Amino acid sequence: MRKIPLIPAIMIVATWLFAVGFALAYELRQGERLEADAVADAVGVGAVTVAVVGVIAGIAWLAAGPARRRLAAARG
């Protein structure tokens, strides 16, 4: 079984927590009470944010592929 890289895992959790916190703060600022609906909305916002950031990171990773291969070949 492969090990999960620590830094990307921490970044994913941090992004999710930031998005959830931001969404909860927005709900509170609008005068909402922290009920199950508001928390569920915030968790959903966090999940969508992580998905969007993941897609962007994946596209960047794929776009950098040829450059990574050239760099690896240059190093020997």
Side-chain angles (χ1 to χ4, degrees):
M1 187 162 80
R2 291 178 50 174
K3 291 173 63 175
I4 297 175
L6 187 60
I7 303 257
I10 290 171
M11 295 297 289
I12 289 169
V13 171
T15 302
W16 184 78
L17 286 174
F18 174 78
V20 168
F22 191 80
L24 286 175
Y26 179 78
E27 294 280 342
L28 288 173
R29 182 116 184 177
Q30 296 297 319
E32 298 278 334
R33 294 179 54 200
L34 280 184
E35 296 175 349
D37 293 356
V39 175
D41 289 344
V43 170
V45 167
V48 169
T49 302
V50 168
V52 169
V53 169
V55 167
I56 293 169
I59 291 169
W61 180 263
L62 290 174
R68 283 195 319 268
R69 284 191 288 277
R70 281 194 303 270
L71 183 61
R75 288 184 181 167

